[in-house]
Amino acid sequence: MKIYTNDNNTATLKLLIAANLAGKKIELKKATFEDVSAGPKALPLLEVDDQLSFFSSNAAAQYLFPVLDLSQNGQCQQMQEWEATRLQPTTAAVLMSKSVASDLKQALNSLLLMVDGLLKTHKYIIGDKLSAADISIWSTLYPLCHNKDYQKQYLAECPNIMRWADELGSAKAIQEAVQQWGGSVEGPFAPTSALGIPQFTNMVSPVGTPESQEISITAEEIEAAKENWINGVKNLQEPLKKQDVILPVKGRRNVLITSALPYVNNVPHLGNIIGCVLSADIFARYCRLCDYNTLFICGTDEYGTATETKALEEGVTPREICDKYHTIHEAVYRWFDIGFDYFGRTSTPEQTEIAQKMFLKLMDNGFISKQSVDQQFCERCQRFLADRFVEGTCPHAGCGYEDARGDQCDACGRLVNAADLVRARCKLCAAPPALRASEQMFLELGQLEPALRAWAAGAAGGWSGPARAVSRGWLREPLRARAVTRDLRWGVPVPLPACRDKVFYVWFDAPIGYLSITQCATGQYEKWWKKDKDYDVKLYQFMAKDNVPFHVVMFPATVIGVNEGHLLVDHVFATEYLNYEDGKFSKSRGVGVFGTDAQETGIPSDVWRFYLTSIRPETSDSSFSWAELGTRNNSELLNNLGNFCHRSLSFCANTFKGVVPDAELTAADYELFALVNREVAGFVQHMEKGRLREALRCVLSVSRLGNQHMQSSQPWVLLRGDEQDKARGAAAVCVCCQLAALLAALLAPFVPRAAARLRDQLRLTPDQLRINPENPSLIQYLPPGHVIGKPEPLFAKLEPEMLEKLKAKYAGTQSERAKKQNGAAKGAAPAGAAELEAAVAAQADKVRQIKSSTKDKAVVQPEVDKLLALKKQLAAAQAQESRGAQGAPTGVNDVANLEKAIAEQGEKVRKLKASTKDKSVWQPEVNILLALKKQLADAQAQPEAGQSPTSVASVASVASLEKAIAEQGEKVRQLKASTKDKSVWQPEVNVLLDLKKQLAALQVKQ
């Protein structure tokens, strides 16, 4: 037998391993696709004899060693088919691509996690015996397992694959096959087909595992699905009682969640948002879904040189700059629906008290020393420079990046000492800084290192791959003492007489902000941050990888040194970096989409949350793409999730008048439930490990299963059939509605507004839509006879043209965009009435959508203000056009139109006030009415055509004002008689007073 193959084709390994295990002799011959005379142009080709050849590597391996398939139900063949159609093409595309797209990386990571999951419970792929599936998958993954770069990038979170690969690789038959193959894991790798690298239409299809339905459902899974369907609701634990002040609860799982404190001197960009606050929020919402007692805190990091510098740039005090940007951060996070239990700040008395106390305790315990250090000082700016405000060429060999900072190089990722930068310069003025000696206090990390290493060795199992990698890098070398003080004015004062002009270094006091913010939130921070025998608290911290050293080295060392029983982090869920299109997000350079930009796009916050989660850089860097944003929204949110939920509820509403039918479930239904339960279990498993992107894939898979069930059962056909068909159709609608209810629960962490709307359409409460993390499964959320509400679409299509415009709008840096916008504004003609009418209509629609999704005035009011401003511009434009058309001052026609508009607006205000007492609803309309009345007064004060100003003022204006005052006075009297609520009648009083002022002014002129 002969094997024809090209160089470095990993599929050839399958044949060689199978032949060696079977003890068959094989002759290996080099070939090209042109050498294949018959059949598909594919390699390797197994030629048995003149009459028999195999073009499929898996079929050839099965032929060479057929006894390997010992599985039942054809699982081995199913896994080989999955390997050939999913795993091998994806892996080959990664290995042969010069630049690996984020979609492709995510697809491969998902497949690898699935394989790792199989090997977690079994020695081999389909059980405890070697099969052909092991040979096929091992051969395909061989380069990933043996190339260190690939291993680090793709297998960091797959320890079971590495264990399995090493075990198989140690077998003599496999070692001989690898030697005979003679390939290199460094590449380049040969294609298996003359067609080249496989092309994929959607690499991130939420199809997860080797097609769940291809692996048979066990009787145990079906029985469990039935049990959970019948008893799942009553097996849920009692809902957690709401606390005014959230404190740990005995007998419940207590979860403390922190998001890395964003620095206060700039607006957060999308990379910052997904790296910390959004990820933490998704996890916090998941914890509440599981009834964990959850406290989620965050706040702005406000001390340090960066704040002082920003204040100097803007000509204000550091406190004013902190107040300004704290408000901006808070507004951005509120728009993104980040549900903090408390969002605080570090510039508080609580921060000063706790930081000083911990420092003095470290000093008492002998871990603080005094050292003289040379610091960078800018003579021109007359200030010491923070490390990040010293720039220059990276000193590390092989890098040479010219814009490295004094704390870290963004190009090579390594840490830098400011004094080591080549051709150092001040970031603010570009002058070369000079070294100046200063006495500073140091934390002796070397003394704390043994205890820190012992703790990290045990705790790192609960950290994400990027967090572990950064931790290993830091602990590869001995730790050195690190300065905890510096010569600044804005910060926590050092409580020592000799250090009156010094404050704590921000790396030291910022993590203490978690404690002080908890104190501000609860008044009892030690309940959460110190161990107690009566309850257990687990600490989860979310951040991007650049923040990891401070959370796994610096702050834990501080806590160990203080030695007062403070909590040490259990789970660090760090991400890699999110890039922007072809470059990097950068706050300092203003590159990318920022939180305030996202609000202005008109794209709902749920869409941003969904897309950012779907590309969350969990194991490797990923990239934001405007085109991909549209694709994900239109294909996954709209066509998959939204379409399924809307169709399901619409069938129920239209056919059964909203009453969920009572269904007689069949064995096929329970098989579907078992498949769904696999995805729900995967959702919980991934969430618990901080793999939020993978958890989202499981949610999409539930929707996919629902769509498949609807398409296969075709209730629209069954419901028109005989009684038996109608019963089956009713059962299909019932099952789909129950799946929609499950999706309302699972979606809540990711797209809370859409989930809330779906929940309202189902007429369910949050307490009714919980999951049991101990036994995650589909339960009967909708009891028989439950009546749902009116179904409405959850998502809308994003048009490619709009996304292209947004991509162009947010290209370049923020300063470049501002210059472009200012230039366009100077050359642009004022908007006409027609354009403004269209803008008013669009903004009004946006306001209505926001008001229907939230009652949070802080979210609604900015959009209302924009609407009012547009309406004001429209009124001015209409008046201008009217004057231009008539060629005369505003006259009788304008007065008549305004009087008509006032009458209509007045009626609108009265109806609104009668329907609700919520001032935030009707006050904007009142403001419009007042503006119209002011315009009327101005119009009446203008002379009509052919009349002198004096005659108009003395006759028309005085008379009309007296009449208006009489009417307004009567209106005020009636309002005061009907209510004591000053907020209702005070606006009308103001109108009356304004009218009286106008009348008095006219009478004085006469």
Side-chain angles (χ1 to χ4, degrees), residues 443 445 482-484 504-511 550 554-555 558:
L443 175 63
L445 291 173
R482 191 177 178 95
V484 297
F504 288 126
Y505 221 129
V506 73
W507 73 259
F508 173 76
D509 89 278
F550 308 107
M554 309 302 180
F555 186 57
T558 297

Side-chain angles (χ1 to χ4, degrees), residues 253-271:
R253 182 170 174 183
N254 298 290
V255 176
L256 176 58
I257 302 169
T258 73
S259 165
L261 305 181
Y263 205 69
V264 78
N265 70 325
N266 213 323
V267 180
H269 57 60
L270 297 184

